[in-house]
Structure formats: C-alpha cells, structure tokens
Amino acid sequence: MEIKTVKGFKDILGEEATLFEEIENKAKSVAQSFGYQPIILPTVEQSELFDRSIGNTTDIVEKEMFTFEDKGGRILALRPEMTASVARSFIEHHLETSALPLKIYYFGQCFRYENPQKGRYREFYQFGIEAIGDISPVLDVEVIQVAFEILRHLGIKDLKVKLNSIGCRTCRPNYKNLLIEALKIHYDELCNDCKKRLYKNPLRILDCKKESQELKESLPKMVDYLCTDCRTHFEKVKTILTQLGIPFECDPNLVRGLDYYSKTVFEVVSLELGAQNALLGGGRYDYLIEDLGGRSTPGVGFAMGIERLIEVLKKRNYTVNKLPKVYIVYDQQFITFANEIREIISKEYVVELDPKGDNIKKGVERASKRGALLVFIIGENEANNNAITIKNMKSGKQITVKREEMLKSAKELIEDD
Ligand code: AMP
C-alpha cells in the first residue's frame, strides 16, 4: 500500500513553501521592529495546561485536542494554540522579574482534530505576538497595529478589525445570567450544540453560525453591561484605533472560542476570503497567568493562521521578490575557477553551478530549463584569459569580460534588456 500524508496533514511544496517563508520572514521582521523578541516553545504540553486555559467546555478542548498518554503514563497534548504555552513558560521561568511588558513573538505548528476543509487543517502554523505585564489599552492597539503592519507588508489592503469587549470577572457573571435568561425563552430554536452550551458557556452561542441573526440581535449585549473599568478601557481602545487610522467595526457577537479572554477581543478580516475569513484573532487575557498558578499579570496578543494567509496571497497573485538566477556552465577541469566565481556573485544573485560540467551547449540548455536569467560560461578560452562569457537568456545577448568586470557587466546586461 502506498504511504500518504495523514488526513488533515499536508506537505507544503514549491510556490506555496516560498509564500510560507515570505509570510514567516515578514511577520518576524515587523514584530522585531516593534520591539518583540522570539520565543521557541515545545509542541507537546501537559494536556491539563489547555483544560485550564482554553477551557474544558470549548470545542478545542472538548473535541479537537490531539491527546495521548506517553510511555511514562503522562497525559499529554499536541498544542492546539500557543498563548497557553507562552503563559506556562512565563510562570515557569519567572519572567515577571524581567522588564515588563514582555514583548514576544512565536511561530510554529498547532494541532486541532477538526474536519479538514479549505483553510482548515489538523496541523497548521500560527504566528503570534504577546505583550505581557501591562494593562494599558495602548498595548491592545499595538498588537492590532503589528497585525495590520504585517498584512500591509504582504500587500493586503482591504482589512478591517472586528472589535468587542467581553468584560471581566466583575461584569461578566451578571451579563451571563441575563444572557441565559434571554436564551431560555428560545431554547427550542437553539441547535443541539448550543442547547448543551446554554449553562456551561452561553457566550459561545453568540458566535454560533447555526443560530439566526434575528435571534442574536434580540439578545442582551455584553457592551451594554460593562463595568466602569471595562467600559473606560474599551472606549480608550476605540479612541486610539481612530487616532491611528486603523479601521474597525464593533461586533457585539464576537466572543472568540477560548475561555481565557477578558476585555478586548478582536479579529482582523479580509473581505477576499469567504467563509473562513478571519485571518487572525486575539485579545486580552488578564486572568490567564493567574489561573495557571502565576502572579496576577495581564496580557494581550494575537495569533495568525499562515495557511489562510497563503490562500489570500494566492488569490492576489502575490509574487515573492527573488534575486535573479545565474547559472554557471563550465568545463569540468575549471571547477575551482567556477566555484570562485560562484562565491563572488552569490552575494547579489542566486547562483547554480551546472552539476555535469560536461558540454557547454548542453549546459546552456539546462540553464534555460532552470529559469536562469544569466549564464556565466567558463570554457578553455575564458579560463586562460581570466575572463567570463556572460549570456542574457532573455535577449540572447552575449559578452566576454575580464573577471574583475563581471559584476558590473552582468548588471548592464540585465538593464540593457
Ligand atoms: P484561534 O487560535 O482559534 O484564535 O485561531 C487563530 C488563527 O489560527 C485563525 O484566525 C486561523 O487563521 C488559524 N486557524 C485556527 N484553526 C485552524 C485550522 N484548523 N487550520 C488552519 N488555520 C487555523
């Protein structure tokens, strides 16, 4: 039987892999430019970490975790997201003693046992940032700003923030009760999942795709029941977003699928993406570190799905800026000379050395197949005169120049075209 990739897992090849790296590089460099530093975390954690952070009544923990017992009898899980791991690491390494806010970014794969479909896989990659240790609404906006900046660097312009506040321990319990009372009246209309959620996690009903818009609009809204602290925070976030010219829209039904959020929650959407249109999501998590046993420390961050971003970039025909390719064709006896040339020009070009070194004509044919813009030819004449013949594969124009002149001449040959 042929061995293939496992359901929900996939290889990332060719152009897609190039796009993948482009996103990774751009995201990291934007985050660095805002003062964020890398953190590298393990893929496997104690399963309990996610029960206690994401919440054991969420879909992720209830249905989608890759959980297993190792040979030592430990109950482990492949991480379904990375914020919980960041919080665990923060506590474990006493990072509260470092200069706060701690600003970090991560990149890595996450696992969720979901039904695979376009933009949804069982293994997917997330890039995310976290600002931990400061309650200021400026940081809520900063993480949104970093997200926007990354997407702008990738040429995506039709973006909008969907924003909500889901309150805190002071105001949410009261709202939850009001919501349950309002939902009880509509119990028969609810889908089977929401019937189960009614008492355990009623907020999730607000973003259930199966419930009617009419029903949702008739329900009480968290934003109308925020305590003074949460309301002030939310107003400040909105004011700063407006001041910085970041387009947003308040969505009272946005609650996000993880239990650890408090106050600000947001998603950034692209109008080009269809059903799975959230490119990234995030929010505040002021109780997460405390709930995991650490000292009470607020935090805010976002996570961005790389696969969905690749879909958007493909739709937009995004092209990665690549250096032009030079292909060196040479007579086998001059391989040392050819390699010296490769070393010199590799600072400005992608350079491939012909693997055969047998026949100049055949070598030039291979250069064409491999998409070279220029071919550097080193035959007997060239080697004896410390010279190179450079051919532009597009125009067919060819010149022989001294070795010291080769970089300048190569540039001219490209520009002349
Ligand atoms: P979440 O951790 O659920 O807030 O998701 C953050 C981002 O990760 C989403 O906006 C998606 O872009 C991405 N994401 C979540 N689940 C999947 C999945 N199963 N496959 C691919 N991307 C995903």
Side-chain angles (χ1 to χ4, degrees), residues 60 80-81 112 114 119-126 256-258 260-261 267-268 276 278-282 303-309:
I60 297 177
E81 58 105 54
R112 294 185 196 173
E114 296 199 72
R120 226 167 238 287
Y121 307 96
R122 289 186 177 171
E123 179 185 39
F124 57 97
Y125 285 78
Q126 281 193 346
R256 315 273 305 122
L258 308 107
Y260 55 61
Y261 287 121
E267 283 182 355
V268 174
Q276 307 289 347
L279 284 170
L280 57 93
M304 173 173 105
I306 306 301
E307 286 74 4
R308 283 180 209 174
L309 210 43

PDB file of all heavy atoms in Angstrom, residues 60 80-81 112 114 119-126 256-258 260-261 267-268 276 278-282 303-309, ligand 1:
ATOM      1  N   ILE A  60     -12.347  23.374  21.188  1.00  0.00           N
ATOM      2  CA  ILE A  60     -10.939  22.975  21.022  1.00  0.00           C
ATOM      3  C   ILE A  60     -10.586  21.875  22.020  1.00  0.00           C
ATOM      4  O   ILE A  60     -10.053  20.832  21.648  1.00  0.00           O
ATOM      5  CB  ILE A  60      -9.986  24.182  21.203  1.00  0.00           C
ATOM      6  CG1 ILE A  60     -10.243  25.225  20.116  1.00  0.00           C
ATOM      7  CG2 ILE A  60      -8.522  23.736  21.172  1.00  0.00           C
ATOM      8  CD1 ILE A  60      -9.408  26.488  20.251  1.00  0.00           C
ATOM      9  N   PRO A  80      -2.816  23.007  20.740  1.00  0.00           N
ATOM     10  CA  PRO A  80      -3.789  23.486  19.755  1.00  0.00           C
ATOM     11  C   PRO A  80      -3.626  24.974  19.474  1.00  0.00           C
ATOM     12  O   PRO A  80      -4.224  25.503  18.541  1.00  0.00           O
ATOM     13  CB  PRO A  80      -5.136  23.220  20.437  1.00  0.00           C
ATOM     14  CG  PRO A  80      -4.845  23.244  21.894  1.00  0.00           C
ATOM     15  CD  PRO A  80      -3.408  22.845  22.089  1.00  0.00           C
ATOM     16  N   GLU A  81      -2.832  25.648  20.269  1.00  0.00           N
ATOM     17  CA  GLU A  81      -2.520  27.070  20.095  1.00  0.00           C
ATOM     18  C   GLU A  81      -1.322  27.362  20.999  1.00  0.00           C
ATOM     19  O   GLU A  81      -0.863  26.473  21.722  1.00  0.00           O
ATOM     20  CB  GLU A  81      -3.725  27.941  20.452  1.00  0.00           C
ATOM     21  CG  GLU A  81      -4.239  27.759  21.861  1.00  0.00           C
ATOM     22  CD  GLU A  81      -3.861  28.917  22.748  1.00  0.00           C
ATOM     23  OE1 GLU A  81      -4.149  30.052  22.387  1.00  0.00           O
ATOM     24  OE2 GLU A  81      -3.263  28.680  23.820  1.00  0.00           O
ATOM     25  N   ARG A 112      -5.173  20.628  15.675  1.00  0.00           N
ATOM     26  CA  ARG A 112      -6.563  20.512  16.130  1.00  0.00           C
ATOM     27  C   ARG A 112      -7.244  19.445  15.297  1.00  0.00           C
ATOM     28  O   ARG A 112      -7.140  19.459  14.067  1.00  0.00           O
ATOM     29  CB  ARG A 112      -7.312  21.853  15.965  1.00  0.00           C
ATOM     30  CG  ARG A 112      -6.773  22.933  16.862  1.00  0.00           C
ATOM     31  CD  ARG A 112      -7.589  24.214  16.785  1.00  0.00           C
ATOM     32  NE  ARG A 112      -6.827  25.305  17.366  1.00  0.00           N
ATOM     33  CZ  ARG A 112      -7.187  26.574  17.342  1.00  0.00           C
ATOM     34  NH1 ARG A 112      -8.325  26.924  16.793  1.00  0.00           N
ATOM     35  NH2 ARG A 112      -6.418  27.504  17.877  1.00  0.00           N
ATOM     36  N   GLU A 114      -9.819  18.744  13.628  1.00  0.00           N
ATOM     37  CA  GLU A 114     -11.007  19.337  13.007  1.00  0.00           C
ATOM     38  C   GLU A 114     -11.310  18.589  11.723  1.00  0.00           C
ATOM     39  O   GLU A 114     -10.472  17.858  11.202  1.00  0.00           O
ATOM     40  CB  GLU A 114     -10.726  20.795  12.642  1.00  0.00           C
ATOM     41  CG  GLU A 114     -10.456  21.663  13.845  1.00  0.00           C
ATOM     42  CD  GLU A 114     -10.628  23.132  13.522  1.00  0.00           C
ATOM     43  OE1 GLU A 114     -11.768  23.569  13.340  1.00  0.00           O
ATOM     44  OE2 GLU A 114      -9.618  23.840  13.460  1.00  0.00           O
ATOM     45  N   GLY A 119      -8.636  25.793   4.056  1.00  0.00           N
ATOM     46  CA  GLY A 119      -8.264  26.735   5.111  1.00  0.00           C
ATOM     47  C   GLY A 119      -8.333  26.151   6.514  1.00  0.00           C
ATOM     48  O   GLY A 119      -8.107  26.840   7.495  1.00  0.00           O
ATOM     49  N   ARG A 120      -8.671  24.881   6.633  1.00  0.00           N
ATOM     50  CA  ARG A 120      -8.764  24.234   7.944  1.00  0.00           C
ATOM     51  C   ARG A 120      -8.055  22.882   7.906  1.00  0.00           C
ATOM     52  O   ARG A 120      -8.439  22.009   7.118  1.00  0.00           O
ATOM     53  CB  ARG A 120     -10.243  23.984   8.265  1.00  0.00           C
ATOM     54  CG  ARG A 120     -10.605  24.385   9.643  1.00  0.00           C
ATOM     55  CD  ARG A 120     -12.106  24.431   9.805  1.00  0.00           C
ATOM     56  NE  ARG A 120     -12.530  25.766  10.221  1.00  0.00           N
ATOM     57  CZ  ARG A 120     -12.345  26.262  11.426  1.00  0.00           C
ATOM     58  NH1 ARG A 120     -11.792  25.550  12.365  1.00  0.00           N
ATOM     59  NH2 ARG A 120     -12.725  27.482  11.725  1.00  0.00           N
ATOM     60  N   TYR A 121      -7.032  22.762   8.692  1.00  0.00           N
ATOM     61  CA  TYR A 121      -6.242  21.523   8.693  1.00  0.00           C
ATOM     62  C   TYR A 121      -6.058  21.033  10.118  1.00  0.00           C
ATOM     63  O   TYR A 121      -6.377  21.736  11.068  1.00  0.00           O
ATOM     64  CB  TYR A 121      -4.865  21.783   8.054  1.00  0.00           C
ATOM     65  CG  TYR A 121      -4.984  22.402   6.697  1.00  0.00           C
ATOM     66  CD1 TYR A 121      -4.885  23.777   6.522  1.00  0.00           C
ATOM     67  CD2 TYR A 121      -5.252  21.610   5.575  1.00  0.00           C
ATOM     68  CE1 TYR A 121      -5.043  24.361   5.272  1.00  0.00           C
ATOM     69  CE2 TYR A 121      -5.411  22.179   4.323  1.00  0.00           C
ATOM     70  CZ  TYR A 121      -5.311  23.555   4.183  1.00  0.00           C
ATOM     71  OH  TYR A 121      -5.475  24.117   2.955  1.00  0.00           O
ATOM     72  N   ARG A 122      -5.558  19.822  10.238  1.00  0.00           N
ATOM     73  CA  ARG A 122      -5.319  19.298  11.598  1.00  0.00           C
ATOM     74  C   ARG A 122      -3.951  19.748  12.103  1.00  0.00           C
ATOM     75  O   ARG A 122      -3.739  19.816  13.296  1.00  0.00           O
ATOM     76  CB  ARG A 122      -5.460  17.780  11.582  1.00  0.00           C
ATOM     77  CG  ARG A 122      -6.917  17.408  11.388  1.00  0.00           C
ATOM     78  CD  ARG A 122      -7.222  15.955  11.485  1.00  0.00           C
ATOM     79  NE  ARG A 122      -8.655  15.759  11.360  1.00  0.00           N
ATOM     80  CZ  ARG A 122      -9.248  14.597  11.233  1.00  0.00           C
ATOM     81  NH1 ARG A 122      -8.530  13.489  11.202  1.00  0.00           N
ATOM     82  NH2 ARG A 122     -10.553  14.525  11.136  1.00  0.00           N
ATOM     83  N   GLU A 123      -3.055  20.009  11.170  1.00  0.00           N
ATOM     84  CA  GLU A 123      -1.797  20.679  11.560  1.00  0.00           C
ATOM     85  C   GLU A 123      -1.736  21.980  10.775  1.00  0.00           C
ATOM     86  O   GLU A 123      -1.910  21.976   9.559  1.00  0.00           O
ATOM     87  CB  GLU A 123      -0.581  19.824  11.213  1.00  0.00           C
ATOM     88  CG  GLU A 123       0.716  20.516  11.595  1.00  0.00           C
ATOM     89  CD  GLU A 123       1.956  19.734  11.144  1.00  0.00           C
ATOM     90  OE1 GLU A 123       1.931  19.178  10.034  1.00  0.00           O
ATOM     91  OE2 GLU A 123       2.927  19.688  11.887  1.00  0.00           O
ATOM     92  N   PHE A 124      -1.559  23.066  11.454  1.00  0.00           N
ATOM     93  CA  PHE A 124      -1.461  24.355  10.776  1.00  0.00           C
ATOM     94  C   PHE A 124      -0.450  25.205  11.544  1.00  0.00           C
ATOM     95  O   PHE A 124      -0.083  24.879  12.668  1.00  0.00           O
ATOM     96  CB  PHE A 124      -2.831  25.043  10.707  1.00  0.00           C
ATOM     97  CG  PHE A 124      -3.467  25.259  12.047  1.00  0.00           C
ATOM     98  CD1 PHE A 124      -3.352  26.485  12.697  1.00  0.00           C
ATOM     99  CD2 PHE A 124      -4.153  24.240  12.678  1.00  0.00           C
ATOM    100  CE1 PHE A 124      -3.924  26.693  13.953  1.00  0.00           C
ATOM    101  CE2 PHE A 124      -4.720  24.437  13.938  1.00  0.00           C
ATOM    102  CZ  PHE A 124      -4.608  25.657  14.565  1.00  0.00           C
ATOM    103  N   TYR A 125      -0.028  26.272  10.910  1.00  0.00           N
ATOM    104  CA  TYR A 125       1.010  27.117  11.525  1.00  0.00           C
ATOM    105  C   TYR A 125       0.418  28.432  12.002  1.00  0.00           C
ATOM    106  O   TYR A 125      -0.446  29.006  11.346  1.00  0.00           O
ATOM    107  CB  TYR A 125       2.134  27.388  10.521  1.00  0.00           C
ATOM    108  CG  TYR A 125       3.019  26.190  10.322  1.00  0.00           C
ATOM    109  CD1 TYR A 125       2.600  25.128   9.516  1.00  0.00           C
ATOM    110  CD2 TYR A 125       4.256  26.089  10.939  1.00  0.00           C
ATOM    111  CE1 TYR A 125       3.403  24.021   9.344  1.00  0.00           C
ATOM    112  CE2 TYR A 125       5.066  24.980  10.762  1.00  0.00           C
ATOM    113  CZ  TYR A 125       4.635  23.950   9.965  1.00  0.00           C
ATOM    114  OH  TYR A 125       5.423  22.854   9.796  1.00  0.00           O
ATOM    115  N   GLN A 126       0.892  28.855  13.132  1.00  0.00           N
ATOM    116  CA  GLN A 126       0.481  30.158  13.643  1.00  0.00           C
ATOM    117  C   GLN A 126       1.701  31.027  13.900  1.00  0.00           C
ATOM    118  O   GLN A 126       2.726  30.539  14.375  1.00  0.00           O
ATOM    119  CB  GLN A 126      -0.273  30.006  14.969  1.00  0.00           C
ATOM    120  CG  GLN A 126      -1.706  29.571  14.809  1.00  0.00           C
ATOM    121  CD  GLN A 126      -2.520  29.731  16.093  1.00  0.00           C
ATOM    122  OE1 GLN A 126      -1.965  29.919  17.164  1.00  0.00           O
ATOM    123  NE2 GLN A 126      -3.825  29.651  15.966  1.00  0.00           N
ATOM    124  N   ARG A 256     -14.962  34.949  20.417  1.00  0.00           N
ATOM    125  CA  ARG A 256     -13.766  34.102  20.286  1.00  0.00           C
ATOM    126  C   ARG A 256     -13.967  32.775  21.030  1.00  0.00           C
ATOM    127  O   ARG A 256     -14.690  32.692  22.001  1.00  0.00           O
ATOM    128  CB  ARG A 256     -12.488  34.788  20.794  1.00  0.00           C
ATOM    129  CG  ARG A 256     -12.314  36.209  20.353  1.00  0.00           C
ATOM    130  CD  ARG A 256     -11.635  36.355  19.010  1.00  0.00           C
ATOM    131  NE  ARG A 256     -10.353  35.678  18.974  1.00  0.00           N
ATOM    132  CZ  ARG A 256     -10.049  34.724  18.096  1.00  0.00           C
ATOM    133  NH1 ARG A 256     -10.901  34.310  17.209  1.00  0.00           N
ATOM    134  NH2 ARG A 256      -8.866  34.176  18.124  1.00  0.00           N
ATOM    135  N   GLY A 257     -13.285  31.746  20.530  1.00  0.00           N
ATOM    136  CA  GLY A 257     -13.570  30.411  21.035  1.00  0.00           C
ATOM    137  C   GLY A 257     -12.780  29.955  22.250  1.00  0.00           C
ATOM    138  O   GLY A 257     -12.768  28.779  22.566  1.00  0.00           O
ATOM    139  N   LEU A 258     -12.084  30.872  22.916  1.00  0.00           N
ATOM    140  CA  LEU A 258     -11.240  30.431  24.026  1.00  0.00           C
ATOM    141  C   LEU A 258     -11.674  31.148  25.298  1.00  0.00           C
ATOM    142  O   LEU A 258     -11.993  32.323  25.281  1.00  0.00           O
ATOM    143  CB  LEU A 258      -9.769  30.751  23.715  1.00  0.00           C
ATOM    144  CG  LEU A 258      -9.297  30.241  22.346  1.00  0.00           C
ATOM    145  CD1 LEU A 258      -9.126  31.383  21.376  1.00  0.00           C
ATOM    146  CD2 LEU A 258      -8.019  29.475  22.453  1.00  0.00           C
ATOM    147  N   TYR A 260     -10.048  32.078  27.953  1.00  0.00           N
ATOM    148  CA  TYR A 260      -9.181  32.928  28.768  1.00  0.00           C
ATOM    149  C   TYR A 260      -9.266  34.422  28.470  1.00  0.00           C
ATOM    150  O   TYR A 260      -8.649  35.232  29.140  1.00  0.00           O
ATOM    151  CB  TYR A 260      -7.726  32.460  28.728  1.00  0.00           C
ATOM    152  CG  TYR A 260      -7.078  32.305  27.371  1.00  0.00           C
ATOM    153  CD1 TYR A 260      -6.935  33.377  26.507  1.00  0.00           C
ATOM    154  CD2 TYR A 260      -6.577  31.069  26.974  1.00  0.00           C
ATOM    155  CE1 TYR A 260      -6.320  33.227  25.281  1.00  0.00           C
ATOM    156  CE2 TYR A 260      -5.956  30.908  25.751  1.00  0.00           C
ATOM    157  CZ  TYR A 260      -5.830  31.995  24.909  1.00  0.00           C
ATOM    158  OH  TYR A 260      -5.216  31.836  23.708  1.00  0.00           O
ATOM    159  N   TYR A 261     -10.028  34.786  27.449  1.00  0.00           N
ATOM    160  CA  TYR A 261     -10.079  36.215  27.118  1.00  0.00           C
ATOM    161  C   TYR A 261     -10.886  37.032  28.121  1.00  0.00           C
ATOM    162  O   TYR A 261     -11.839  36.549  28.729  1.00  0.00           O
ATOM    163  CB  TYR A 261     -10.667  36.414  25.722  1.00  0.00           C
ATOM    164  CG  TYR A 261      -9.721  36.024  24.626  1.00  0.00           C
ATOM    165  CD1 TYR A 261     -10.054  35.050  23.695  1.00  0.00           C
ATOM    166  CD2 TYR A 261      -8.472  36.636  24.507  1.00  0.00           C
ATOM    167  CE1 TYR A 261      -9.181  34.683  22.683  1.00  0.00           C
ATOM    168  CE2 TYR A 261      -7.590  36.272  23.504  1.00  0.00           C
ATOM    169  CZ  TYR A 261      -7.954  35.311  22.593  1.00  0.00           C
ATOM    170  OH  TYR A 261      -7.086  34.953  21.606  1.00  0.00           O
ATOM    171  N   GLU A 267     -10.802  40.409  15.845  1.00  0.00           N
ATOM    172  CA  GLU A 267     -10.377  39.606  14.702  1.00  0.00           C
ATOM    173  C   GLU A 267     -10.038  40.576  13.588  1.00  0.00           C
ATOM    174  O   GLU A 267     -10.609  41.665  13.525  1.00  0.00           O
ATOM    175  CB  GLU A 267     -11.516  38.689  14.227  1.00  0.00           C
ATOM    176  CG  GLU A 267     -11.703  37.479  15.101  1.00  0.00           C
ATOM    177  CD  GLU A 267     -12.795  36.531  14.629  1.00  0.00           C
ATOM    178  OE1 GLU A 267     -13.490  36.842  13.651  1.00  0.00           O
ATOM    179  OE2 GLU A 267     -12.943  35.487  15.263  1.00  0.00           O
ATOM    180  N   VAL A 268      -9.114  40.193  12.731  1.00  0.00           N
ATOM    181  CA  VAL A 268      -8.865  41.000  11.540  1.00  0.00           C
ATOM    182  C   VAL A 268      -9.367  40.174  10.374  1.00  0.00           C
ATOM    183  O   VAL A 268      -9.036  38.990  10.247  1.00  0.00           O
ATOM    184  CB  VAL A 268      -7.365  41.357  11.390  1.00  0.00           C
ATOM    185  CG1 VAL A 268      -7.127  42.076  10.064  1.00  0.00           C
ATOM    186  CG2 VAL A 268      -6.919  42.240  12.548  1.00  0.00           C
ATOM    187  N   GLN A 276     -14.231  31.337   5.781  1.00  0.00           N
ATOM    188  CA  GLN A 276     -13.250  31.306   6.881  1.00  0.00           C
ATOM    189  C   GLN A 276     -12.470  32.610   6.876  1.00  0.00           C
ATOM    190  O   GLN A 276     -11.253  32.618   6.770  1.00  0.00           O
ATOM    191  CB  GLN A 276     -12.267  30.155   6.681  1.00  0.00           C
ATOM    192  CG  GLN A 276     -12.894  28.819   6.471  1.00  0.00           C
ATOM    193  CD  GLN A 276     -13.521  28.301   7.741  1.00  0.00           C
ATOM    194  OE1 GLN A 276     -13.284  28.830   8.818  1.00  0.00           O
ATOM    195  NE2 GLN A 276     -14.339  27.295   7.621  1.00  0.00           N
ATOM    196  N   ALA A 278     -11.572  35.042   8.916  1.00  0.00           N
ATOM    197  CA  ALA A 278     -10.716  35.645   9.952  1.00  0.00           C
ATOM    198  C   ALA A 278      -9.262  35.253   9.708  1.00  0.00           C
ATOM    199  O   ALA A 278      -8.905  34.084   9.702  1.00  0.00           O
ATOM    200  CB  ALA A 278     -11.149  35.196  11.328  1.00  0.00           C
ATOM    201  N   LEU A 279      -8.433  36.261   9.466  1.00  0.00           N
ATOM    202  CA  LEU A 279      -7.012  35.989   9.223  1.00  0.00           C
ATOM    203  C   LEU A 279      -6.273  35.825  10.524  1.00  0.00           C
ATOM    204  O   LEU A 279      -5.265  35.145  10.605  1.00  0.00           O
ATOM    205  CB  LEU A 279      -6.390  37.159   8.485  1.00  0.00           C
ATOM    206  CG  LEU A 279      -6.733  37.246   7.024  1.00  0.00           C
ATOM    207  CD1 LEU A 279      -6.275  38.572   6.467  1.00  0.00           C
ATOM    208  CD2 LEU A 279      -6.069  36.113   6.286  1.00  0.00           C
ATOM    209  N   LEU A 280      -6.786  36.512  11.519  1.00  0.00           N
ATOM    210  CA  LEU A 280      -6.149  36.393  12.823  1.00  0.00           C
ATOM    211  C   LEU A 280      -7.127  36.827  13.899  1.00  0.00           C
ATOM    212  O   LEU A 280      -8.104  37.519  13.636  1.00  0.00           O
ATOM    213  CB  LEU A 280      -4.879  37.242  12.878  1.00  0.00           C
ATOM    214  CG  LEU A 280      -5.017  38.734  12.593  1.00  0.00           C
ATOM    215  CD1 LEU A 280      -5.203  39.509  13.879  1.00  0.00           C
ATOM    216  CD2 LEU A 280      -3.781  39.202  11.867  1.00  0.00           C
ATOM    217  N   GLY A 281      -6.848  36.370  15.097  1.00  0.00           N
ATOM    218  CA  GLY A 281      -7.726  36.725  16.192  1.00  0.00           C
ATOM    219  C   GLY A 281      -6.903  36.907  17.446  1.00  0.00           C
ATOM    220  O   GLY A 281      -5.799  36.360  17.566  1.00  0.00           O
ATOM    221  N   GLY A 282      -7.440  37.684  18.352  1.00  0.00           N
ATOM    222  CA  GLY A 282      -6.699  37.868  19.592  1.00  0.00           C
ATOM    223  C   GLY A 282      -7.499  38.615  20.624  1.00  0.00           C
ATOM    224  O   GLY A 282      -8.705  38.810  20.484  1.00  0.00           O
ATOM    225  N   ALA A 303      -3.031  35.750  17.330  1.00  0.00           N
ATOM    226  CA  ALA A 303      -2.467  34.618  16.594  1.00  0.00           C
ATOM    227  C   ALA A 303      -3.008  34.656  15.172  1.00  0.00           C
ATOM    228  O   ALA A 303      -4.178  34.957  14.950  1.00  0.00           O
ATOM    229  CB  ALA A 303      -2.844  33.300  17.263  1.00  0.00           C
ATOM    230  N   MET A 304      -2.132  34.345  14.247  1.00  0.00           N
ATOM    231  CA  MET A 304      -2.479  34.472  12.829  1.00  0.00           C
ATOM    232  C   MET A 304      -2.233  33.131  12.143  1.00  0.00           C
ATOM    233  O   MET A 304      -1.195  32.515  12.354  1.00  0.00           O
ATOM    234  CB  MET A 304      -1.532  35.539  12.287  1.00  0.00           C
ATOM    235  CG  MET A 304      -1.515  35.780  10.852  1.00  0.00           C
ATOM    236  SD  MET A 304      -0.446  37.240  10.599  1.00  0.00           S
ATOM    237  CE  MET A 304       1.001  36.429   9.972  1.00  0.00           C
ATOM    238  N   GLY A 305      -3.205  32.668  11.387  1.00  0.00           N
ATOM    239  CA  GLY A 305      -3.061  31.390  10.681  1.00  0.00           C
ATOM    240  C   GLY A 305      -2.317  31.588   9.368  1.00  0.00           C
ATOM    241  O   GLY A 305      -2.723  32.393   8.533  1.00  0.00           O
ATOM    242  N   ILE A 306      -1.223  30.858   9.194  1.00  0.00           N
ATOM    243  CA  ILE A 306      -0.405  31.042   7.979  1.00  0.00           C
ATOM    244  C   ILE A 306      -1.104  30.491   6.736  1.00  0.00           C
ATOM    245  O   ILE A 306      -1.086  31.098   5.671  1.00  0.00           O
ATOM    246  CB  ILE A 306       0.981  30.354   8.143  1.00  0.00           C
ATOM    247  CG1 ILE A 306       1.682  30.844   9.422  1.00  0.00           C
ATOM    248  CG2 ILE A 306       1.866  30.580   6.924  1.00  0.00           C
ATOM    249  CD1 ILE A 306       1.938  32.325   9.512  1.00  0.00           C
ATOM    250  N   GLU A 307      -1.775  29.328   6.870  1.00  0.00           N
ATOM    251  CA  GLU A 307      -2.400  28.698   5.707  1.00  0.00           C
ATOM    252  C   GLU A 307      -3.450  29.605   5.067  1.00  0.00           C
ATOM    253  O   GLU A 307      -3.543  29.716   3.842  1.00  0.00           O
ATOM    254  CB  GLU A 307      -3.051  27.362   6.084  1.00  0.00           C
ATOM    255  CG  GLU A 307      -2.082  26.218   6.324  1.00  0.00           C
ATOM    256  CD  GLU A 307      -1.323  26.322   7.633  1.00  0.00           C
ATOM    257  OE1 GLU A 307      -1.590  27.252   8.429  1.00  0.00           O
ATOM    258  OE2 GLU A 307      -0.447  25.465   7.858  1.00  0.00           O
ATOM    259  N   ARG A 308      -4.250  30.247   5.928  1.00  0.00           N
ATOM    260  CA  ARG A 308      -5.292  31.123   5.373  1.00  0.00           C
ATOM    261  C   ARG A 308      -4.692  32.339   4.690  1.00  0.00           C
ATOM    262  O   ARG A 308      -5.192  32.828   3.696  1.00  0.00           O
ATOM    263  CB  ARG A 308      -6.254  31.550   6.474  1.00  0.00           C
ATOM    264  CG  ARG A 308      -7.184  30.407   6.788  1.00  0.00           C
ATOM    265  CD  ARG A 308      -8.162  30.733   7.863  1.00  0.00           C
ATOM    266  NE  ARG A 308      -8.482  29.497   8.541  1.00  0.00           N
ATOM    267  CZ  ARG A 308      -9.222  29.418   9.606  1.00  0.00           C
ATOM    268  NH1 ARG A 308      -9.738  30.509  10.130  1.00  0.00           N
ATOM    269  NH2 ARG A 308      -9.489  28.246  10.151  1.00  0.00           N
ATOM    270  N   LEU A 309      -3.606  32.792   5.229  1.00  0.00           N
ATOM    271  CA  LEU A 309      -2.921  33.928   4.629  1.00  0.00           C
ATOM    272  C   LEU A 309      -2.355  33.542   3.259  1.00  0.00           C
ATOM    273  O   LEU A 309      -2.403  34.324   2.307  1.00  0.00           O
ATOM    274  CB  LEU A 309      -1.796  34.354   5.577  1.00  0.00           C
ATOM    275  CG  LEU A 309      -1.401  35.803   5.577  1.00  0.00           C
ATOM    276  CD1 LEU A 309      -2.614  36.715   5.552  1.00  0.00           C
ATOM    277  CD2 LEU A 309      -0.570  36.093   6.807  1.00  0.00           C
TER     278      LEU A 309
HETATM  279  P1  AMP B   1      -7.605  30.722  17.223  1.00  0.00           P
HETATM  280  O1  AMP B   1      -6.412  30.175  17.940  1.00  0.00           O
HETATM  281  O2  AMP B   1      -8.753  29.775  17.119  1.00  0.00           O
HETATM  282  O3  AMP B   1      -7.953  32.068  17.704  1.00  0.00           O
HETATM  283  O4  AMP B   1      -7.133  30.917  15.701  1.00  0.00           O
HETATM  284  C1  AMP B   1      -6.187  31.859  15.285  1.00  0.00           C
HETATM  285  C2  AMP B   1      -5.970  31.742  13.786  1.00  0.00           C
HETATM  286  O5  AMP B   1      -5.429  30.455  13.511  1.00  0.00           O
HETATM  287  C3  AMP B   1      -7.266  31.800  12.987  1.00  0.00           C
HETATM  288  O6  AMP B   1      -7.625  33.091  12.647  1.00  0.00           O
HETATM  289  C4  AMP B   1      -6.936  30.963  11.794  1.00  0.00           C
HETATM  290  O7  AMP B   1      -6.380  31.773  10.766  1.00  0.00           O
HETATM  291  C5  AMP B   1      -5.923  29.960  12.286  1.00  0.00           C
HETATM  292  N1  AMP B   1      -6.538  28.625  12.472  1.00  0.00           N
HETATM  293  C6  AMP B   1      -7.275  28.172  13.509  1.00  0.00           C
HETATM  294  N2  AMP B   1      -7.626  26.889  13.333  1.00  0.00           N
HETATM  295  C7  AMP B   1      -7.108  26.495  12.153  1.00  0.00           C
HETATM  296  C8  AMP B   1      -7.096  25.269  11.393  1.00  0.00           C
HETATM  297  N3  AMP B   1      -7.685  24.170  11.836  1.00  0.00           N
HETATM  298  N4  AMP B   1      -6.443  25.249  10.205  1.00  0.00           N
HETATM  299  C9  AMP B   1      -5.815  26.353   9.740  1.00  0.00           C
HETATM  300  N5  AMP B   1      -5.773  27.520  10.396  1.00  0.00           N
HETATM  301  C10 AMP B   1      -6.405  27.607  11.593  1.00  0.00           C
END
